[in-house]
Amino acid sequence: MIPLFDLTRQYSQLRNEILETVDEVLSGGQVILGPWVEKFERELSEYLGVNHSIGVANGSDALVIALRSFGIEKGEKVVTTPYTFFATASCIVRNGGVPVFVDVDPDTYNIDLNQVEKIIKSERIRVIIPVHLFGQTVDFDNLCFLKEKYGVKILEDAAQSIGSEGKIGDRVQKSGTFGDIGVFSFFPTKNLGAYGDAGAIVTNDDELAEQSRSLRQHGSKKKYFHETVGYNSRLDALHAAILSVKLRYLDQWIKRRIEIAKLYQSLFEEYNLPLKYPKIQDKGYRYHVFHQYVVEFRDNSERELARKHLNESKIGTSIYYPLPLHLQKCFEEYGYEEGSLPISERLSKTTLALPIFPELTDDEIEQVVNKIREVF
Ligand SMILES: Cc1ncc(COP(=O)(O)O)c(C=O)c1O
C-alpha cells in the first residue's frame, strides 16, 4: 500500500523528540497560549522574515480574523480564486462580504492576475485573496504591481505554501510575507503540520498584528475587557511546542518533496506519458514546495480510469478540488453558472493528486508511475 500521505512515518522518526517536548509542556502546566506559543511565534517570524506571527486555532480562523482586520463592509466584494479549499472563500462570507471568483491560470492553477486587473478596473475592490495553490507561489511581481497601481490590499492564503518563495524585483521572500497580511494552516497533512488543528497569521504591519492578536482572544487586549466581539481562536501550547520541533526539519522536508517532484517528472518524461505535470524550472529560488503533486489528464474519463486503477492497486490519490467554489450550493446566490469559469471547472474534472510526503521512497514513486503507465 502506498498512501497519499502518511503521518506515521514522520512520527516514528521524531517520536523521542516529540514525546520529550510533550512531557515538558505538560509538566509546565500552561497549555493555552503562553511561553510555548510565544516561542513558536518568534521562530516562525524568524523563519519567514516577518515582524509578527500570531498563532490561532486553525487556518480557516486565521483567514476570518486576517480579513476582518481590514474592516470588510457588509456586501463588500472581495476577489479570490474558485479553485482552492472552501475556507479561502468562506472567510469572505463570514465577514459579511461577497466573493468575486476569478478563474485560474491553466499552467500554475493560481489566480489569473490579468483577469483580476480587469475586475479591479471596473468595480470597487479593496481586497484580493490569492492562494499559493499546492505550494506554488503566486507571481508576486504582478500582484505587487496591482497593489501599487490600484491600492488594493492583499491577504495571502499561504495555507499550503509554507517555505515557498517568490520574487519582487531582485528580492526573494517567503510566501505569506508579501501581502499586507498572510495566513498559514498547520493542519496535520500540511508541509508543517500539527497533531490537530492549528494556524497562524503573519504581517509586518503593527496595527493589523495587534488587531489579530485581540480578535483571537474574544476581542480583548486586557483580560475581561473587550473592545470588539472577537473569537476564541487560540493556539494550544502542545501544538506550538511540537510545531517548534518540526519547524527545524521543514527545509529538509521541502528539499525531499522537490526531489520527489523531480523524480515523478523524469519518469513521466522517460515514458512519454500524455499527462500534464508541473515542469520544474530552475528559477534560483524555491517557488514551489509541492504540498501536493497534482497531474492533469486529457479528460474526465481518463482521470477516473486512473483513479480507479490506482485505488485498486492500493495507491492513495485525491481530487483537489472536485467542485470549484463558484458552483457550490452555499454560494448559489452569487449567480455563477456552469461554464462561467471554465479553467477551474475543467481542472476539477481532470486533475489528480498523487502520493507525496518526505518519507515516500523512490521505489514507491516508481510503482505509482508504473501503475499510471498501465492506464495508458
Ligand atoms: C488553501 C487553504 N486555505 C485555507 C485552509 C484552511 O486551513 P485549516 O484546515 O487549518 O482550517 C486550507 C487547509 O485545509 C487550505 O488548503
Side-chain angles (χ1 to χ4, degrees):
M1 189 193 152
I2 306 174
L4 180 70
F5 174 79
D6 185 353
L7 205 55
T8 62
R9 295 192 203 182
Q10 186 196 70
Y11 181 61
S12 64
Q13 288 171 11
L14 300 183
R15 192 165 186 272
N16 290 342
E17 244 179 303
I18 286 176
L19 290 183
E20 273 169 29
T21 306
V22 168
D23 187 48
E24 242 185 289
V25 175
L26 298 187
S27 303
Q30 165 96 39
V31 291
I32 292 178
L33 294 180
W36 291 100
V37 172
E38 284 160 24
K39 177 174 178 286
F40 173 64
E41 288 176 340
R42 265 195 319 275
E43 290 167 352
L44 183 64
S45 295
E46 211 166 287
Y47 177 79
L48 297 170
V50 74
N51 291 346
H52 306 280
S53 294
I54 299 119
V56 293
N58 53 66
S60 307
D61 280 4
L63 279 161
V64 170
I65 293 172
L67 185 60
R68 185 160 155 195
S69 63
F70 291 140
I72 296 298
E73 295 154 19
K74 198 165 166 36
E76 179 174 342
K77 290 180 175 174
V78 176
V79 167
T80 194
T81 157
Y83 192 54
T84 175
F85 181 64
F86 180 67
T88 312
S90 65
C91 74
I92 300 171
V93 178
R94 289 174 69 192
N95 268 290
V98 171
V100 175
F101 294 110
V102 172
D103 214 350
V104 294
D105 176 280
D107 294 322
T108 62
Y109 308 159
N110 281 331
I111 195 165
D112 181 338
L113 295 175
N114 292 324
Q115 292 191 47
V116 171
E117 184 171 16
K118 278 189 201 144
I119 292 196
I120 304 180
K121 269 182 174 166
S122 60
E123 302 201 37
R124 179 180 176 263
I125 301 290
R126 285 197 308 134
V127 182
I128 303 173
I129 310 180
V131 179
H132 308 293
L133 196 74
F134 304 145
Q136 178 164 211
T137 316
V138 169
D139 174 352
F140 258 92
D141 261 336
N142 273 328
L143 196 59
C144 289
F145 165 79
L146 297 181
K147 183 169 156 56
E148 298 295 312
K149 187 164 175 193
Y150 299 98
V152 284
K153 301 259 184 225
I154 296 180
L155 190 181
E156 279 178 71
D157 183 342
Q160 302 185 0
S161 68
I162 190 156
S164 84
E165 295 168 335
K167 217 171 177 186
I168 304 185
D170 290 334
R171 201 175 70 238
V172 172
Q173 251 176 257
K174 295 241 166 52
S175 63
T177 69
F178 288 91
D180 298 275
I181 198 160
V183 304
F184 291 96
S185 161
F186 305 119
F187 186 78
T189 59
K190 295 290 193 275
N191 290 13
L192 179 66
Y195 292 115
D197 280 307
I201 299 166
V202 303
T203 182
N204 283 314
D205 185 313
D206 298 348
E207 209 172 301
L208 291 181
E210 200 179 309
Q211 279 181 48
S212 295
R213 243 176 236 292
S214 151
L215 284 170
R216 78 170 166 184
Q217 176 104 287
H218 297 289
S220 111
K221 288 177 189 158
K222 191 172 153 203
K223 207 170 180 184
Y224 304 125
F225 293 84
H226 303 269
E227 285 139 50
T228 48
V229 178
Y231 313 89
N232 174 359
S233 184
R234 298 167 297 216
L235 179 59
D236 296 331
L238 271 177
H239 289 318
I242 292 169
L243 287 167
S244 283
V245 171
K246 289 194 176 189
L247 186 59
R248 298 201 281 273
Y249 295 90
L250 180 61
D251 282 333
Q252 157 189 337
W253 289 335
I254 290 173
K255 197 162 158 252
R256 175 63 188 154
R257 282 177 180 272
I258 295 171
E259 255 173 42
I260 292 171
K262 283 185 177 160
L263 183 55
Y264 270 126
Q265 172 169 332
S266 70
L267 293 169
F268 291 147
E269 278 166 2
E270 184 181 334
Y271 301 124
N272 201 18
L273 298 184
L275 272 179
K276 193 168 168 185
Y277 44 86
K279 296 265 168 16
I280 299 169
Q281 302 163 45
D282 186 8
K283 294 193 183 182
Y285 59 96
R286 205 164 58 186
Y287 69 95
H288 202 325
V289 292
F290 292 98
H291 169 54
Q292 298 294 350
Y293 190 82
V294 174
V295 296
E296 200 180 321
F297 289 84
R298 287 174 294 194
D299 55 36
N300 181 251
S301 58
E302 209 168 77
R303 196 266 308 264
E304 290 307 311
L305 208 63
R307 187 158 75 114
K308 188 162 173 280
H309 187 55
L310 289 169
N311 290 354
E312 280 168 3
S313 314
K314 302 216 170 336
I315 293 174
T317 62
S318 188
I319 296 172
Y320 301 116
Y321 297 89
L323 186 65
L325 299 186
H326 65 289
L327 300 180
Q328 296 286 343
K329 187 159 178 34
C330 65
F331 295 149
E332 233 169 35
E333 65 187 282
Y334 306 121
Y336 291 90
E337 283 176 4
E338 207 156 340
S340 55
L341 301 172
I343 296 167
S344 302
E345 290 168 31
R346 177 170 54 78
L347 295 175
S348 69
K349 296 187 176 80
T350 55
T351 59
L352 192 65
L354 302 179
I356 190 163
F357 51 93
E359 300 77 18
L360 190 68
T361 66
D362 289 1
D363 179 59
E364 287 174 317
I365 297 162
E366 283 178 35
Q367 288 181 51
V368 174
V369 174
N370 282 332
K371 287 293 163 196
I372 297 177
R373 282 174 72 198
E374 288 171 11
V375 174
F376 290 110

